[in-house]
């Protein structure tokens, strides 16, 4: 009994200890279970977050990829316009006007003064998403901000910037101003002055604008006549219609009507039975009776004749406008290379002269390298020297005639002979330095003699700023053109350039 009695407390202690240990183990298992459960919950949460983030990134990447693919497949607006004009019967100036025109009013395309400046100084227009549509209130605001003729200046177009409009016929008129010599100012003004009173009113100016476009209608009608036939296919008919629609967008309402009437004499409408036989041929006269009621007061008209169109243009005012426009364009070209300095280098002068020419890249580099070798350290060319030389280029045709009559045998000329011929043609003298620079550029063998035929041919390209394009022909037409050019290259019967 004593042994049993002694073992009983020991067993109780062992049992109590085992219960404590059991509870401890149970608590520990519970802690581990809770920790494991919380880790599982966190893992599930992280997994869901990760899955959501990965899914978002995947679909976002796919969206960006598809959007980038769409943007890459969609050509710029200017490229689409160029593609839409391919194959149409449009000359280079019409295409260039459409390319640079950035505004539209009543379905007709217009340039801003900024567009015009860029069209004669840059090869491509500034990037744009679409053309800006103008309303009557915009034109009223433009008219109020257009300076009067008395306030004209050599930076007027830059000051107006995009707060004005220029029509296609005015675009042609302004281009002709840039290539006219000062001696031709009076002739141009006399073209306006139909009644000989030494003044030009708005109606006389509009008459000349009609004369400018008359050749366009005649050329287009001739092309339609040569193209169409009794068996005209659908492709040709669509091309004719597309060309007509493009021309309608650059000409005013009255000129659109003239275009349609001019075409009636070439492409007779089908006999619908609405008119007696032969009555369709009795179309309206080509005189533009609707011109007065359909004219849009452009920036140029407001500048010349005032907001109400009652002012008259005098010769001295017209001459000053032409001189200011020529100076403004030349200043823009000069400042592009001068970077604010009072002079440009001789190399920059050569770049300006050759920028609108059709030289091959190796020929272009040859001219520049030749100048660098002959004038390693130049003294620079001022704006007045540059302007005087560009004004001489406006008399290039007179210079070519003088040279042809002087040499007869197309012999090279010296600097003294060149200098004297320029003075005879322009009445002004070029600086000896700029004449020497020109000879350094165009003198092939460095003997001090200039082959003026090559000089005139290249300077004609510069004068017209690339508007007299040489169309690159391909296929059989290109082969025939090449053969004809080579056969007549040394033919004495072919007139010189």
């Amino acid at each position: 009994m004593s042994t049993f009695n002694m073992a009983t407390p020991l067993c109780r202690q062992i049992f109590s200890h085992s219960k404590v240990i059991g509870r401890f183990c149970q608590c520990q298992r519970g802690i581990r279970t809770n920790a494991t459960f919380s880790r599982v919950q966190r893992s599930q949460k992280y997994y869901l977050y990760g899955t959501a983030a990965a899914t978002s990134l995947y679909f976002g990447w796919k969206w960006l990829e598809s959007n980038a693919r769409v943007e890459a497949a969609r050509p710029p607006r200017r490229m689409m316009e160029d593609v839409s004009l391919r194959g149409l019967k449009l000359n280079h100036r019409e295409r260039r006007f459409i390319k640079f025109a950035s505004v539209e009013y009543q379905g007709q395309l217009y340039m801003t003064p900024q567009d015009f400046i860029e069209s004669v100084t840059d090869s491509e227009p500034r990037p744009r998403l679409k053309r800006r549509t103008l309303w009557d209130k915009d034109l009223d605001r433009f008219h109020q901000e257009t300076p009067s003729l008395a306030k004209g200046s050599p930076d007027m177009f830059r000051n107006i910037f995009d707060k004005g409009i220029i029509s296609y016929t005015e675009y042609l008129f302004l281009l002709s101003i840039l290539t006219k010599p000062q001696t031709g100012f009076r002739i141009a003004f006399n073209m306006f002055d139909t009644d000989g009173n030494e003044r030009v009113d708005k109606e006389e100016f509009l008459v000349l604008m009609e004369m400018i476009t008359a050749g366009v209608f005649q050329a287009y009608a001739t092309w339609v006549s040569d193209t169409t036939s009794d068996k005209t296919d659908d492709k040709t008919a669509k091309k004719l219609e597309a060309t007509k629609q493009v021309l309608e967008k650059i000409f005013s309402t009255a000129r659109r009507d003239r275009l349609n009437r001019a075409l009636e004499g070439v492409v007779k409408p089908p006999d619908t039975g609405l008119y007696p036989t032969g009555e369709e041929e009795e179309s309206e006269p080509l005189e533009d009776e609707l011109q007065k009621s359909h004219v849009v007061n452009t920036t140029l008209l407001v500048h010349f004749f005032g907001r109400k169109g009652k002012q008259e243009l005098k010769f001295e005012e017209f001459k000053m406008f032409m001189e200011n426009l020529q100076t403004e364009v030349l200043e823009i070209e000069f400042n592009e290379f001068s970077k604010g300095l009072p002079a440009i280098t001789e190399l920059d002068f050569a770049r300006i002269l050759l920028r609108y020419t059709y030289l091959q890249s190796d020929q272009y580099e040859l001219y520049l390298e030749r100048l660098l070798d002959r004038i390693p350290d130049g003294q620079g060319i001022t704006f007045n020297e540059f302007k005087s030389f560009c004004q001489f280029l406006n008399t290039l045709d007179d210079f070519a005639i003088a040279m042809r009559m002087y040499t007869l045998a197309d012999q090279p000329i010296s600097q003294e002979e060149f200098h004297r011929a320029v003075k005879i043609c322009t009445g002004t003298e070029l600086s000896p330095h700029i004449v020497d620079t020109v000879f350094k550029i165009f003198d092939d063998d460095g003997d001090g003699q200039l082959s003026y035929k090559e000089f005139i041919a290249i300077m004609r390209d510069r004068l017209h700023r690339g508007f007299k394009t040489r169309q690159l022909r391909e296929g059989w037409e290109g082969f025939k053109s090449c053969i004809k050019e080579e056969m007549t290259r040394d033919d004495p019967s072919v007139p010189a350039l």
Side-chain angles (χ1 to χ4, degrees):
M1 289 296 293
S2 60
T3 305
F4 176 78
N5 291 335
M6 293 177 61
T8 299
L10 180 62
C11 291
R12 289 177 179 174
Q13 290 180 1
I14 294 172
F15 181 73
S16 64
H17 284 297
S18 63
K19 289 178 66 176
V20 172
I21 293 172
R23 289 179 181 177
F24 175 77
C25 294
Q26 185 177 2
C27 292
Q28 191 174 14
R29 285 196 300 270
I31 293 174
R32 289 199 188 104
T33 302
N34 291 336
T36 303
F37 181 72
S38 63
R39 283 200 299 270
V40 170
Q41 283 185 326
R42 286 198 299 268
S43 300
Q44 291 178 347
K45 186 184 298 184
Y46 292 152
Y47 176 77
L48 292 176
Y49 288 161
T51 303
T55 304
S56 300
L57 289 174
Y58 175 76
F59 284 107
W61 176 74
K62 284 295 184 181
W63 180 85
L64 290 175
E65 184 182 32
S66 61
N67 188 58
R69 187 182 300 113
V70 171
E71 292 298 327
R74 183 186 304 158
R77 185 177 184 88
R78 185 172 68 246
M79 186 183 300
M80 289 192 297
E81 290 179 352
D82 293 343
V83 172
S84 64
L85 296 179
R86 289 179 182 175
L88 301 185
K89 184 64 175 181
L90 299 175
N91 60 40
H92 184 63
R93 295 186 179 187
E94 291 166 348
R95 294 175 183 272
R96 195 164 181 83
F97 178 84
I98 295 172
K99 179 185 292 187
F100 280 84
S102 64
V103 295
E104 184 174 343
Y105 175 69
Q106 294 183 351
Q108 182 181 350
L109 302 183
Y110 288 93
M111 277 185 172
T112 65
Q114 179 193 13
D115 295 334
F116 174 76
I117 291 296
E118 291 178 353
S119 70
V120 297
T121 57
D122 299 333
S123 58
E124 293 292 334
R126 66 189 183 281
R128 65 170 185 266
L129 294 178
K130 62 179 181 179
R131 290 190 178 90
R132 180 164 53 110
T133 301
L134 300 179
W135 307 97
D136 292 339
K137 62 179 181 180
D138 297 318
L139 262 61
D140 293 339
R141 179 166 51 88
F142 292 169
H143 296 164
Q144 295 175 1
E145 298 181 4
T146 301
S148 63
L149 198 58
K151 297 182 179 179
S153 63
D155 55 359
M156 185 185 75
F157 278 55
R158 284 171 286 183
N159 290 337
I160 297 177
F161 198 60
D162 62 346
K163 298 178 176 58
I165 58 173
I166 297 172
S167 67
Y168 174 69
T169 49
E170 292 172 344
Y171 170 68
L172 299 180
F173 166 68
L174 295 175
L175 287 180
S176 65
I177 287 179
L178 295 179
T179 59
K180 281 189 177 298
Q182 293 187 3
T183 55
F185 290 173
R186 171 64 73 175
I187 299 175
F189 186 83
N190 291 339
M191 289 288 294
F192 294 136
D193 188 13
T194 56
D195 54 10
N197 64 349
E198 297 294 325
R199 296 170 182 263
V200 172
D201 58 23
K202 186 176 180 179
E203 301 307 324
E204 289 174 329
F205 183 81
L206 293 176
V207 168
L208 185 67
M209 294 295 99
E210 284 298 300
M211 293 171 57
I212 291 176
T213 57
V216 176
F217 300 131
Q218 183 63 36
Y220 180 65
T222 302
W223 175 64
V224 173
S225 178
D226 296 339
T227 305
T228 57
S229 62
D230 296 337
K231 298 181 180 180
T232 302
D233 56 3
D234 294 339
K235 184 178 181 180
T236 302
K238 290 181 180 179
K239 186 182 296 185
L240 293 173
E241 181 62 25
T243 302
K244 177 183 174 183
Q245 292 177 359
V246 171
L247 291 177
E248 285 179 347
K249 287 187 70 68
I250 64 176
F251 289 110
S252 64
T253 304
R255 295 183 179 93
R256 295 177 194 174
D257 183 63
R258 168 173 288 194
L259 174 62
N260 293 330
R261 289 178 297 181
L263 293 180
E264 287 179 1
V266 179
V267 182
K268 297 294 190 302
D271 186 6
T272 59
L274 298 177
Y275 303 96
T277 304
E279 189 169 331
E280 298 93 333
E281 299 180 3
E282 298 178 3
S283 58
E284 303 177 56
L286 293 182
E287 288 79 26
D288 205 344
E289 306 91 347
L290 303 178
Q291 177 63 49
K292 295 182 181 180
S293 61
H294 283 270
V295 65
V296 177
N297 279 330
T298 61
T299 299
L300 203 59
L301 292 178
V302 175
H303 180 64
F304 281 164
F305 307 105
R307 299 177 190 174
K308 297 182 179 180
K310 302 298 182 181
Q311 300 178 8
E312 293 183 328
L313 181 64
K314 301 177 182 178
F315 171 71
E316 292 301 325
E317 296 171 333
F318 177 65
K319 178 181 177 182
M320 184 59 63
F321 170 79
M322 298 182 75
E323 290 180 346
N324 286 338
L325 179 60
Q326 290 182 353
T327 302
E328 183 167 9
V329 173
L330 294 178
E331 280 182 352
I332 294 174
E333 287 186 306
F334 186 85
N335 293 336
E336 179 184 351
F337 290 89
S338 66
K339 308 300 182 184
L341 299 176
I344 59 176
T345 65
E346 287 77 4
L347 187 62
D348 289 336
F349 174 69
R351 289 194 179 102
I352 295 177
L353 293 187
L354 301 176
R355 71 189 307 184
Y356 297 108
T357 59
Y358 299 93
L359 297 172
Q360 300 293 333
S361 58
D362 54 345
Q363 294 176 310
Y364 177 84
E365 296 296 333
L366 178 62
Y367 281 110
L368 299 183
E369 291 176 1
R370 180 191 300 166
L371 180 63
L372 283 176
D373 294 339
R374 296 175 179 177
I375 308 181
D377 299 319
Q379 67 184 55
I381 294 176
T382 64
F383 175 73
N384 289 333
E385 291 177 321
F386 173 71
K387 180 180 177 181
S388 298
F389 183 80
C390 292
Q391 289 177 340
F392 151 69
L393 292 183
N394 290 342
T395 64
L396 198 61
D397 290 336
D398 295 337
F399 177 80
I401 294 174
M403 287 293 92
R404 198 176 304 158
M405 296 178 63
Y406 177 74
T407 63
L408 295 179
D410 295 335
Q411 296 297 322
I413 58 175
S414 63
Q415 290 194 27
E416 292 76 16
E417 294 167 336
F418 181 90
H419 195 276
R420 187 168 69 251
V422 171
K423 184 177 181 180
I424 293 173
C425 295
T426 63
T428 59
E429 295 187 7
L430 297 179
S431 68
H433 174 59
I434 202 167
V435 173
D436 181 67
T437 303
V438 170
F439 270 68
K440 293 292 192 299
I441 298 173
F442 295 100
D443 183 6
D444 292 334
D445 50 11
D447 60 351
Q449 302 290 315
L450 179 68
S451 175
Y452 70 89
K453 290 183 63 177
E454 179 184 3
F455 167 76
I456 291 175
I458 295 178
M459 288 301 97
R460 275 207 176 104
D461 295 338
R462 153 67 198 180
L463 174 63
H464 296 285
R465 299 174 181 273
F467 284 105
K468 285 193 174 181
T469 57
R470 303 171 183 177
Q471 298 181 354
L472 298 177
R473 299 181 178 179
E474 298 179 353
W476 175 245
E477 291 296 328
F479 177 75
K480 290 192 299 183
S481 177
C482 180
I483 293 296
K484 182 178 179 181
E485 180 180 356
E486 292 299 324
M487 292 179 64
T488 59
R489 182 180 298 274
D490 299 325
D491 189 351
S493 62
V494 177
L497 292 175

